[in-house]
Amino acid sequence: MKKTMSAVIARRDRRVAGPGRSSWILFAALAMVLALAPMVLNQFNIGLLAKFLCYSMVAIGLGLLWGRGGVLSLGQGVFFGLGGYIMAMHMQLADASANGGSGVPEFMSLYGNGHVPGWWLPFRSGVVTLIAIPVVPMLVAWALGAAVFKRRVKGAYFSILSQALVAAFALLLIGAQTSTGGSNGLSDFTGFFGYVLNDPVNQRSLYYLVLIVVLVMLLATGLLMYSRFGEVLLAVRDTEERVRFLGYDPASIKTAAFVYAALLASIGGALFVPVAGIISPSDIGVTPSIIFLLGVALGGRSTFLGPVLGSLIVSIAQNSLSSAFPSFWSYLEGALFIVVIALLPGGVATLVPSIRRWRRRVSGAPGARGGSRASQTDAVPEASAGELVSR
Amino acid sequence: GSQVSTASGGSASASVKSCVDTSGSKIKIGFINSLSGTMAISEKTVRDSLDMAADEINKSGGVLGKQLDVQAADGASDPNTFAQKADQLIRQNCVAAVFGGWTSASRKAMKPVFEKDNSLLYYPVQYEGMESSPNIYYTGAAPNQQIVPALDWMKSKGFKKLFLVGSDYVFPRTANKIIQAYAKANGMTVVDEQYVPLGGTDFTTIVNKLKDSGADAVFNTLNGDSNVAFFRQFASMGFNSTTMPTISVSIAEQEIPGVGLDNLKGQYTAWDYYQTLDTEQNKKFVSDFKARYGQDRVTSDPMEAAYVSLYLWKAAVEKANSFDVDKVKANSDGISFDAPEGKVTVDGENHHVYKTPRIGQVNSAGLIDTIWQTPSPLKPDPYLKDYDWAKGLS
Amino acid sequence: MLTVEGLVAGYGRTRVLHGISMSVPDAGIVAVLGHNGAGKTTLMKTIMGLLRAQQGSIRWNDEEISRLAPNERVKRGIAYVPQGQQSFGQLTALENMELVAGSDRSRAELIDEMMDRYPDLRRYSSRRAELLSGGQRQQLAIARALLTRPRLLILDEPGEGIQPSVVADIRRTMLDLAATGIQVLLVEQQIDFAVSHCTQYVVVASGRIVDRGEGGANSVGQVRQVLTI
Amino acid sequence: MTKIAAMEEGQDLAVRVKGLTVAFGAFHAIDDVDLEVGGNHLHFLIGPNGAGKTTLIDAITGLVPYTGTISVGGRALARMTVQDIARFGVGRTFQTATVFERQTVVQNLDIALRGGRHWASLLTLRREVPERIEEILEIIGLAGHADELAGVLSHGQKQWLEIGMVLAANARVILLDEPVAGMTLDEREATGELLRRICPDRVVMVVEHDMDFMRRFADAVTVMSRGQVLVEGSVEQIQANQQVQDTYLGVAEAV
Amino acid sequence: MDVVVGQLLAGLSVGSVLLLAAVGMSLTFGQMGIINMAHGEFIMIGAYTVYMVQQFVSVAALSYVIAIPCAFLLAAAVGVLLEQGVLQFMYRRPLDTLLVTFGVSLILQQAARDIFGAPAVAINIPEFLSGHVSLLGAAIPVSRILIIVLAMVLVLLVSWLLKATQVGRRMRAVTVNRELAEVSGIPTRRTDRLTFALGSGLAGIAGVAITLIGSTTPTLGSNYIVYAFLVVVAGGLSSIWGAVIAAVALGIVQSAIAFGTTQSIATWVSFLLVVLFLQWRPQGIFSLKTRSLA
Ligand SMILES: Nc1ncnc2c1ncn2[C@@H]1O[C@H](COP(=O)(O)OP(=O)(O)OP(=O)(O)O)[C@@H](O)[C@H]1O
Ligand SMILES: Nc1ncnc2c1ncn2[C@@H]1O[C@H](COP(=O)(O)OP(=O)(O)OP(=O)(O)O)[C@@H](O)[C@H]1O
Ligand SMILES: [Mg+2]
Ligand SMILES: [Mg+2]
């Protein structure tokens, strides 16, 4: 078959992996809006936005793990919690020993025997804390992932296991009241690595810290997603056993994605603590772990920016609607799950290409069937290549 | 930004400017209760009585001539949400004071917020004590107004061997620490101490243990739903109020039908208020409440404490002639109110209130009769400072 | 009599069939030939109702069936052996057969008959279908189709993956059936066999019928020619 | 991750199977089989349905546990995982083609190309279609479908893609399970030529039921039946064998 | 000795409650592959059915007799609604049903809260069920015995249905290969609906039984959901007997740990045990080997 040179180039062009130009524009716009937000928002809302961004970090990781890898983890709360509690322990110890204090957090003397348990002690050191926040959850995720995925526990089995784990984790935290604060969690922090948390300037800096972390995470995740790793991950999602015969270990691939998602969740949890001023078992239990997924699904689970946008939308909606109409919010939240997952499995992000397609069809432009970009087609996660009718 | 200096790190509060708007004919206050999630069961009733109090006050001319403009928030049974919404009420909605909270977790979460924003929280539920914040008024019972009197009463009845059962969270654990200390000093023994996870419904093992423990009474700090399962299992193993008296500190009137009157009849409770109290104020409170929300509704201790909290704040504001937080605080000491439970008085030192502890017994109508009470309101003592046996506790 | 007219169908937005018209007469075998990806399987799926006919009609004994659910079409006497040795993996071979056969006595006899025809099915009747070899599964699939007592049997490359002696057997079965008045619609790659034994053939290319004619050994050359172009 | 050095060019590749038994409970799908498949020619494995051909491939590629020994190029494969065997250079296709349906043909090939490479290479972006993939696309005749999702390919096209993936993975031992099932005559022809082209310097074993195809392309044939090797030899020898005719070819073929 | 017997019986009764919660799930999850997070809410519907029936029938024993079929029908009806409304479009992506049904569970819980109020409702328990009997020196409540019996009856019923009836075979076939089932003449839609309705209905019956031991609140079912899933998963999807073994083992282990330590630790440890167990047997107690790669 003969082709003109330009046709060959055009074809090659389409076969290059990576997010499209519109994604980058959207990314830049998002970064811009978030960077400028403090100009228009008051201090309270800046804090709120920072908190929502912390949640969205979990969502970014889930986008890769679930959207690309098909691993539906209902247990991200474990990692969010690990990061959060490690940070909180450090901050408690730092607060307790600031100003010549006893070095023992107040709740320990209230509920316990007034001694700091041995496993808290390393976290007196800020350096150890900063190392532990990524390392501990990654190790946990690695151990878990290696064990579980190697034994080919997958699909619903994995989801249910992860859910049980997060339930067990929350129970453990609640039960170990004297060393974890129990259901009260850890709260009442004054300083964050030497800075007064309560200071408006510091709060703004904290917001920018969170924002930068989110943007870096987005970039890293975007690259991972469109890298060969992303493609293999997709292959593992669709036909796990097949990739084995090509020399990959699907367990390692999935574990890598799981560890990565755990890392992001943990950092999210760690930053959540200074931002929200509290971490407690109810931030990491079964329900919050599932709610993390709602944003991801809403925005588009396998898209570049969908998880962040979706999770921000959900957080904002929850915040603004739940107070005014508590029961209405429950209905709406439930309905969102149903509508988004059932009718819009690709999330709102997939509406964009289909609207564009529709517009093109209406205007009768030629080549409306063209653009079979990989990134577009696989944005629809589960819709089978052959959509069969079923009545 | 400012760094933590060797001086006080936490005193930033003094510099916080309040945004409360006192210029108009209305003054904003905030209610924060869980209307969703697991705690909604209990906290909704508190919201109801708060709403009633606000309406009453508005009908009788408001506070300092200003109508109360209630800003409502849902804590969603989640400490972190409580903290966030409290912050929102104070800084965004600019309320003059906030009323609500139930679990210790929600209070602990809100405490730093009120301290940093220098605002006021009125917390209406009995709790484990060991706390007093300059920005919180605790209108429920301190441990010495509920747990300790219950123990005194049990001692007077000759119960010597106690079996402790509770939900696994802060209040029961701390309450049981107090009980252990009390028992040690008063010649009683605690034969076993058992916990179930919050919401747990499996009591087969615990009741088996109870059967073999030789206990002569149970001190019950179980929360909410778990009581149903506990008392069902309890009853089906042949226990009742005569064979195994049980004193509960978290079962109020509204929980009785759900737990099952058959299971509870004759059992004991410890609170400061019961719907059956025979005071003028209470009769009015109960009948107003029923008129407003329905004849089948009941009133309970936390509801009453919440209702009272709004009036205590009103009195303090009027005494201070200002909504300013610092002025209200300065004028709170000694403020008193003729509450449905009798006279309550604010202790300006520890921010709790003088209340009258009462032991009740569940009657066949599903209400609780007072069978014992202290002769006069008791001074609150959240840290149990005045009790020698409690020295090691805090 | 099955009549297909102006059939258009495809997957999602991709059209595969672009207006197919053909019919299967009341007796005999109609062979469908064509290259890989020509749309043969797609045509069969559309006739069975697994794919919706976007345009055109499918008439079966004077009834329009293009809107019926697949199981309704089976009820009306059409049976289908899909490509690729499909079976209900978790069920045993016997259960696979009972599933479609129902439970009355005559059906039990029918099952027995099938197991006579394919002895492996008797030998492995209690083995789960997914553990059977490919060829065994294909035999099972044909047995299942026959158990519904069809009047039209659609076979999508039935010999694929089957050992030659069994292929011969399947072919014999098919010719027998055709002889007893069951209509057969056969997708086949073995041109020699298909064309020489069918009553009519059609050649599909890119979703269109490019050639059709009477079957018989004489036509083989003609079809070969069409297919090599 | 243990590093498995892939086989090298020019190395002795022969697959040697000794005393192989694969049991599923009491049932022996393969029963004490000895077999040697050498390089540089097309080796056909035929036999009745259920003879154990697929199971043999499963055993070689590490999918089912077995007793006995299997070695490739002198290296025993027992105790190696599926992925290690694949990295070692043993590739296979499946009786029902399994490709990554929701990725494009190019992506499928690229994934195969990367298998077993250093993990860091996974972190790179695919900036263009690698030369090798362009080549393979031409070889397997799917150049025109490069950007299509593999799921929309027809049955036969998928089988070609699978062969392409094995080539991309640079497998030295290629085990094909019924590669031409469902292909037309000329497509079979093309596939046969393709296999001829790839077989130098490789071991290619083909399981097939298409006797015409076998006759045309086989250099050596092994016949299995009921889990055992019935006969081995050239096409002529096989066809002349009475046992093979009885259990496998049947009357139709004899005609 | 009687402590051991007592704890064994306790374990058995805990296990039977878990089993009861899981029976229906072994159909909807085990057979159909739908991960129904709203299963707990179907249990809740069953429990509230008792309450509703008692509004009209004051004799407690009679009310329970009436409530069982009513609960079955009501839960099954809601199940059909769910299946028809959403799930039927999702058989191709089973993992997603988990999230959709989570949404449904939020809605059902809130609806219960709006209809019946948040506090637990009062349920009258028949006189004869509130006692206990002595068995080998240990006491066991009559209600628990009833639950054990009920669980066993339902299990037998379901396993008979699946194995021995045409309907059961169809139920299994449809999940294995939907398209093939359709072209084999099986009315797949009807079969789906029936299976799901049955699974939901069984949850309703479980709800009726659970009113005997715990409180009837909107969140009643969510207490059991995590456990029920674990039971089905540990048992292996393909067999209801796996679920039986898993439930009883879990119950006994939990009671044993609870006796030595506390209920919280027992809950915690039993979660971990299941995770470890799946390490050893990833596909559950009764697993099927498969040759397919998918
Ligand atoms: N599930 C699907 N989704 C999208 N397109 C498909 C799907 N299945 C097949 N196609 C497309 O339809 C065309 C026809 O496929 P079909 O399976 O009908 O071919 P066939 O004639 O049966 O080929 P073969 O002889 O290989 O079985 C193919 O080219 C393929 O691109
Ligand atoms: N996991 C298993 N459990 C039980 N029996 C099995 C299992 N796998 C294969 N078998 C049996 O082993 C025998 C050999 O199967 P295999 O798939 O190897 O045959 P084959 O030679 O490839 O046949 P075909 O040509 O039909 O594909 C068959 O009888 C099959 O039923
Ligand atoms: Mg085909
Ligand atoms: Mg085979």
Side-chain angles (χ1 to χ4, degrees), chain E residues 101-246:
Chain E
T101 51
F102 180 77
V104 173
S105 93
L106 289 180
I107 291 179
L108 288 178
Q109 262 184 38
Q110 188 59 39
R113 215 170 274 135
D114 287 345
I115 297 171
F116 300 102
V121 295
I123 302 269
N124 292 322
I125 295 188
E127 205 54 50
F128 72 96
L129 282 180
S130 52
H132 65 280
V133 293
S134 292
L135 216 74
L136 303 169
I140 178 162
V142 180
S143 57
R144 295 281 180 155
I145 292 178
L146 189 79
I147 287 175
I148 293 174
V149 171
L150 185 64
M152 285 323 294
V153 168
L154 293 186
V155 164
L156 287 173
L157 218 67
V158 169
S159 82
W160 169 78
L161 185 89
L162 283 179
K163 276 277 174 249
T165 69
Q166 185 71 353
V167 175
R169 271 193 289 270
R170 289 187 164 176
M171 285 177 176
R172 291 192 290 150
V174 168
T175 16
V176 175
N177 191 335
R178 180 160 300 272
E179 277 179 23
L180 186 61
E182 284 189 350
V183 296
S184 301
I186 298 171
T188 49
R189 287 296 306 122
R190 197 148 30 100
T191 310
D192 288 332
R193 230 174 303 149
L194 188 70
T195 316
F196 198 77
L198 198 62
S200 311
L202 287 172
I205 295 183
V208 173
I210 280 170
T211 56
L212 295 176
I213 52 174
S215 62
T216 305
T217 63
T219 51
L220 154 90
S222 49
N223 293 331
Y224 294 97
I225 190 87
V226 177
Y227 267 120
F229 272 122
L230 283 187
V231 163
V232 178
V233 160
L237 293 190
S238 47
S239 162
I240 193 166
W241 293 103
V244 175
I245 296 176

Side-chain angles (χ1 to χ4, degrees), chain B residues 114-303:
Chain B
F114 282 91
E115 288 171 359
K116 102 178 140 63
D117 294 342
N118 192 28
S119 183
L120 283 177
L121 171 67
Y122 283 79
Y123 173 74
V125 184
Q126 44 70 248
Y127 79 113
E128 68 278 3
M130 311 289 162
E131 184 180 302
S132 111
S133 161
N135 295 82
I136 302 179
Y137 284 93
Y138 308 79
T139 63
N144 77 312
Q145 295 165 319
Q146 185 189 25
I147 295 167
V148 177
L151 288 166
D152 285 340
W153 176 79
M154 290 175 103
K155 187 179 162 198
S156 74
K157 288 282 166 192
F159 298 127
K160 287 232 160 343
K161 296 180 178 167
L162 303 186
F163 188 99
L164 311 186
V165 55
S167 298
D168 197 358
Y169 73 110
V170 175
F171 171 70
R173 289 224 176 233
T174 315
N176 286 345
K177 262 177 83 175
I178 295 172
I179 297 170
Q180 293 271 14
Y182 181 96
K184 210 179 204 171
N186 288 280
M188 298 160 95
T189 47
V190 171
V191 294
D192 206 345
E193 184 175 335
Q194 288 291 323
Y195 296 96
V196 287
L198 271 170
T201 52
D202 186 41
F203 286 89
T204 14
T205 304
I206 287 178
V207 174
N208 276 355
K209 283 185 176 176
L210 172 62
K211 204 157 59 73
D212 299 334
S213 67
D216 47 26
V218 175
F219 201 108
N220 167 23
T221 44
L222 285 171
N223 184 286
D225 297 347
S226 295
N227 280 305
V228 183
F230 172 68
F231 279 103
R232 289 257 165 89
Q233 186 76 18
F234 184 85
S236 66
M237 295 305 265
F239 291 121
N240 59 39
S241 59
T242 41
T243 56
M244 184 65 71
T246 299
I247 191 157
S248 307
V249 291
S250 297
I251 298 180
E253 283 84 345
Q254 83 223 17
E255 275 95 25
I256 291 176
V259 179
L261 182 53
D262 291 340
N263 300 325
L264 280 179
K265 212 180 298 169
Q267 295 288 22
Y268 304 96
T269 61
W271 292 102
D272 299 329
Y273 166 88
Y274 298 113
Q275 181 180 319
T276 55
L277 285 186
D278 194 19
T279 65
E280 278 314 305
Q281 287 80 1
N282 186 41
K283 280 187 189 136
K284 179 167 183 303
F285 174 63
V286 172
S287 72
D288 286 353
F289 188 84
K290 286 185 181 248
R292 189 180 161 107
Y293 294 109
Q295 289 303 316
D296 52 340
R297 292 288 300 270
V298 291
T299 58
S300 67
D301 182 294
M303 291 159 73

Side-chain angles (χ1 to χ4, degrees), chain C residues 17-180:
Chain C
L17 303 181
H18 307 272
I20 297 244
S21 301
M22 62 178 288
S23 64
V24 183
D26 273 338
I29 300 173
V30 173
V32 177
L33 309 160
H35 283 279
N36 265 184
K40 306 180 295 293
T41 299
T42 309
L43 175 60
M44 301 306 129
K45 283 188 181 171
T46 316
I47 293 174
M48 276 319 289
L50 280 178
L51 279 172
R52 187 179 24 204
Q54 291 161 4
Q55 280 171 39
S57 77
I58 306 169
R59 301 187 68 77
W60 167 241
N61 294 340
D62 299 326
E63 184 191 5
E64 176 65 44
I65 59 167
S66 62
R67 294 276 163 260
L68 291 182
N71 62 303
E72 289 296 326
R73 303 186 199 201
V74 175
K75 225 186 247 169
R76 283 165 176 69
I78 308 179
Y80 178 47
V81 178
Q83 194 170 8
Q85 303 131 17
Q86 298 186 40
S87 57
F88 301 103
Q90 310 273 310
L91 276 65
T92 65
L94 184 62
E95 282 177 328
N96 261 278
M97 290 188 276
E98 286 173 342
L99 185 67
V100 287
S103 43
D104 62 271
R105 191 167 311 131
S106 71
R107 298 291 171 103
E109 279 162 22
L110 209 52
I111 290 180
D112 224 42
E113 199 186 311
M114 289 304 145
M115 297 204 292
D116 286 342
R117 186 172 285 171
Y118 304 112
D120 266 9
L121 295 187
R122 190 186 298 285
R123 195 171 313 135
Y124 301 121
S125 67
S126 59
R127 184 172 292 182
R128 271 183 295 120
E130 65 180 356
L131 300 179
L132 296 175
S133 81
Q136 293 163 342
R137 279 204 307 273
Q138 181 71 330
Q139 297 170 13
L140 183 57
I142 294 173
R144 248 192 348 253
L146 291 180
L147 282 169
T148 61
R149 298 188 165 160
R151 277 177 293 147
L152 169 64
L153 180 64
I154 301 180
L155 297 163
D156 197 349
E157 307 198 15
E160 191 184 285
I162 310 279
Q163 71 185 76
S165 58
V166 180
V167 170
D169 185 61
I170 291 172
R171 287 175 179 176
R172 246 193 323 274
T173 313
M174 194 175 63
L175 295 178
D176 287 354
L177 291 172
T180 60

Side-chain angles (χ1 to χ4, degrees), chain A residues 385-388, chain C residues 11 14 16 34-43 45 83 156-157 160 187 189, chain D residues 145 148 151-157 182-183 187:
Chain A
E387 205 68 64
L388 299 176
Chain C
Y11 305 87
T14 15
V16 175
H35 283 279
N36 265 184
K40 306 180 295 293
T41 299
T42 309
L43 175 60
K45 283 188 181 171
Q83 194 170 8
D156 197 349
E157 307 198 15
E160 191 184 285
V187 177
Q189 298 285 13
Chain D
H145 300 271
E148 271 168 34
V152 311
L153 296 179
S154 77
H155 191 71
Q157 291 167 327
M183 290 188 184
E187 287 164 340

